[in-house]
């Protein structure tokens, strides 16, 4: 399998210490970006069961969103791939703090190239804070999709992440 | 791809929502193209807080309707003489990103303009322009990758309706129509088949079925 062969060469680098490769199913490399001298691996993976996730692991959904969980709070945004498909974001509508939503419900809207696109909640939960910077500088969503362009902090209703399943291939 | 001709904007909105839902839930969806004309109506997109109730009543007073929608883009006008096209497409199934889809809509209109020997262009503002004037406005919505709303091409629209607003919020640029550019009357009916002829190749479709 070509994909595995590539990964084997990278493992051993310390950039990968937060990725628990062996606990998940069949990871396949999505893309590899080089920031300075340190390779960072973005991955999507399939899993058949969930086990305890390490803090601040990043997970991905089918709708090209990422979610990272720390101490029962999840932060989420859209991926670099998603922002490149949208074009330059000129407007962003975030949910109100306190909003409770179900997984799969529309939770935010972005506008780019005169197209309004819905953003969906990858998990159920209650919004504990929204990143207001995105309302004043929506370009952050394009420029740093997976870092500062994060949308909201959630509070999970339960810590049982097997109820979550945001994984994708 | 099927077509229909209707008139009332609000009804068309409801129809679009039904079709979007159907596209999403149906086991055998196919792409749909709605092509219509509307009675005079001013519509605004998502960022509708930019337009106050005062502005709304001013525009209602001159005999047009005013509707706030969930599409992208700011304010525009739809009325007789304008070809309005709403593709209800599943972008996911077509493997198209939003930006690419909009680009292809622009491409269709630019090719159409060329057919009339007009030089249509893109600009940092989505839509198709002839020099400084917009001939075709665009505003889309996607829900789960399914599009609604679309584009509006001025054929022989009465452009005076646009004087009341800053179209799409862009100051210093004007509006035009096929009729104005060609100095002859070009109706929506004239343009329909030309539009389809240019739409099909851009979107990779070989044949189109017509339903009235």
């Amino acid at each position: 399998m070509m994909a595995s062969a590539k990964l084997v060469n990278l493992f051993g680098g310390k950039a990968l210490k937060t990725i628990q490769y062996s606990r998940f199913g069949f990871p396949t490399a999505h893309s590899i970006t080089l920031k300075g001298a340190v390779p960072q691996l973005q991955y999507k993976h399939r899993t058949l069961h969930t086990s305890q996730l390490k803090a601040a692991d990043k997970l991905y959904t089918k709708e090209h969103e990422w979610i990272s969980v720390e101490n029962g709070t999840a932060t989420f945004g859209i991926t670099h791939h998603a922002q490149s498909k949208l074009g330059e974001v000129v407007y962003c509508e975030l949910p109100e703090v306190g909003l409770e939503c179900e997984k799969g419900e529309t939770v935010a809207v972005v506008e780019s190239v005169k197209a309004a696109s819905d953003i969906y909640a990858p998990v159920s939960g209650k919004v504990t804070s929204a990143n207001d910077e995105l309302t004043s500088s929506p370009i952050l969503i394009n420029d740093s999709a997976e870092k500062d362009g994060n949308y909201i902090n959630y509070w999970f209703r339960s810590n049982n992440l097997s109820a979550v399943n945001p994984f994708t291939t | 791809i099927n077509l229909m001709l209707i008139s009332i904007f609000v009804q068309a909105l409801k129809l679009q929502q039904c079709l979007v839902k159907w596209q999403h839930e149906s086991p055998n969806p196919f792409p749909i193209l709605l092509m219509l004309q509307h009675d005079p109506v001013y519509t605004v997109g998502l960022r509708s807080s930019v337009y106050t109730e005062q502005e709304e009543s001013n525009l209602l007073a001159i005999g047009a309707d005013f509707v706030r929608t969930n599409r992208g883009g700011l304010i525009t006008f739809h009325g007789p003489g304008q070809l309005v096209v709403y593709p209800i497409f599943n972008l996911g199934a077509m493997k198209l990103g939003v930006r690419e889809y909009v680009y292809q809509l622009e491409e269709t209109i630019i090719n159409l303009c060329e057919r009339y020997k007009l030089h249509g262009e893109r600009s940092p503002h989505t839509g198709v322009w002839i020099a400084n004037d917009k001939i075709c406005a665009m505003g889309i919505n996607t829900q789960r990758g399914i599009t609604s709303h679309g584009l509006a091409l001025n054929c022989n629209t009465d452009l005076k309706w646009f004087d009341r607003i800053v179209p799409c919020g862009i100051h210093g640029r004007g509006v035009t129509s096929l009729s104005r550019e060609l100095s002859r009357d070009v109706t929506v009916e004239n343009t329909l088949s030309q539009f389809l002829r240019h739409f099909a190749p851009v979107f990779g479709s070989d044949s189109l079925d017509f339903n009235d």
Side-chain angles (χ1 to χ4, degrees):
Chain A
M1 287 219 314
M2 282 280 292
S4 312
K6 267 197 248 175
L7 289 171
V8 161
N9 288 332
L10 289 171
F11 284 120
K14 55 187 173 116
L16 302 173
K17 65 177 174 241
T18 59
I19 300 170
Q20 298 299 318
Y21 177 83
S22 57
R23 286 208 297 243
F24 295 102
F26 303 93
T28 50
H30 170 52
S31 70
I32 298 164
T33 56
L34 291 172
K35 287 190 181 177
V38 176
Q40 289 180 339
L41 183 66
Q42 292 178 354
Y43 65 103
K44 293 183 192 170
H45 52 275
R46 194 199 303 271
T47 186
L48 301 173
H49 64 272
T50 54
S51 48
Q52 185 128 19
L53 286 170
K54 226 174 133 95
D57 269 354
K58 220 176 208 180
L59 310 168
Y60 295 89
T61 73
K62 256 197 343 236
E63 271 95 20
H64 303 294
E65 293 155 353
W66 59 263
I67 180 163
S68 106
V69 184
E70 209 167 339
N71 300 325
T73 297
T75 304
F76 108 107
I78 61 169
T79 63
H80 179 75
H81 174 85
Q83 71 78 21
S84 71
K85 288 292 179 184
L86 284 175
E88 187 184 323
V89 179
V90 300
Y91 175 72
C92 167
E93 223 168 63
L94 296 174
E96 290 197 4
V97 172
L99 177 76
E100 296 210 16
C101 51
E102 293 293 311
K103 173 178 165 191
E105 264 183 22
T106 302
V107 88
V109 191
V110 290
E111 185 182 331
S112 61
V113 294
K114 304 245 177 97
S117 310
D118 282 359
I119 308 286
Y120 304 96
V123 295
S124 303
K126 185 163 129 180
V127 178
T128 53
S129 76
N131 186 354
D132 286 326
E133 262 189 81
L134 296 184
T135 323
S136 50
S137 296
I139 194 76
L140 282 173
I141 295 171
N142 298 110
D143 290 343
S144 54
E146 306 208 24
K147 194 169 171 296
D148 288 329
N150 60 312
Y151 281 52
I152 345 177
N153 290 328
Y154 269 94
W155 169 74
F156 275 130
R157 286 195 191 129
S158 86
N159 274 332
N160 179 9
L161 291 168
S162 61
V164 162
N165 198 20
F167 299 100
T168 185
T169 50
Chain B
I1 302 186
N2 296 325
L3 320 171
M4 286 165 262
L5 287 172
I6 335 167
S7 236
I8 303 171
F9 186 78
V10 175
Q11 279 186 1
L13 271 188
K14 289 195 195 142
L15 175 63
Q16 286 185 75
Q17 284 311 308
C18 289
L19 289 174
V20 167
K21 195 156 183 277
W22 172 80
Q23 276 273 1
H24 184 58
E25 292 169 1
S26 157
N28 293 311
F30 48 82
I32 292 195
L33 203 62
L34 294 177
M35 297 174 61
L36 0 91
Q37 292 185 70
H38 288 307
D39 291 324
V41 59
Y42 289 98
T43 69
V44 301
L46 203 52
R47 291 176 268 169
S48 72
S49 53
V50 173
Y51 302 99
T52 61
E53 279 196 30
Q54 181 60 54
E55 271 179 272
E56 182 174 342
S57 19
N58 289 347
L59 294 173
L60 287 170
I62 60 170
D65 206 354
F66 186 99
V67 182
R68 296 177 189 263
T69 72
N70 64 355
R71 60 163 170 79
L74 294 169
I75 192 168
T76 192
F77 170 80
H78 300 304
Q82 190 188 74
L83 173 60
V84 175
V85 182
Y86 300 140
I88 314 286
F89 286 179
N90 186 334
L91 295 182
M94 296 167 81
K95 302 216 192 303
L96 270 182
V98 165
R99 190 169 59 159
E100 291 159 314
Y101 168 64
V102 170
Y103 185 91
Q104 286 189 1
L105 287 179
E106 289 171 334
E107 189 70 14
T108 305
I109 301 294
I110 289 175
N111 292 346
L112 176 63
C113 287
E114 222 180 284
R115 158 69 180 74
Y116 288 102
K117 301 203 181 12
L118 295 172
H119 181 57
E121 295 174 304
R122 290 186 177 85
S123 83
H125 304 286
T126 303
V128 179
W129 303 80
I130 310 256
N132 207 35
D133 299 320
K134 185 184 278 196
I135 195 166
C136 180
M138 292 180 186
I140 316 285
N141 174 274
T142 68
Q143 290 164 58
R144 306 200 183 280
I146 300 179
T147 65
S148 50
H149 300 277
L151 57 87
L153 175 67
N154 294 325
C155 300
N156 59 355
T157 324
D158 181 355
L159 298 177
K160 286 209 283 298
W161 288 100
F162 287 95
D163 293 342
R164 298 285 184 150
I165 55 172
V166 181
C168 308
I170 304 167
H171 294 269
R173 300 189 82 164
V175 199
T176 185
S177 66
L178 285 174
S179 300
R180 175 182 283 184
E181 294 296 316
L182 297 169
S183 303
R184 60 181 172 87
D185 196 39
V186 182
T187 65
V188 170
E189 287 75 18
N190 297 148
T191 322
L192 253 179
S193 57
Q194 287 303 328
F195 174 82
L196 288 171
R197 209 164 283 160
H198 292 94
F199 187 88
V202 171
F203 282 89
S205 139
D206 290 322
S207 67
L208 298 169
D209 298 321
F210 291 72
N211 275 348
D212 273 331

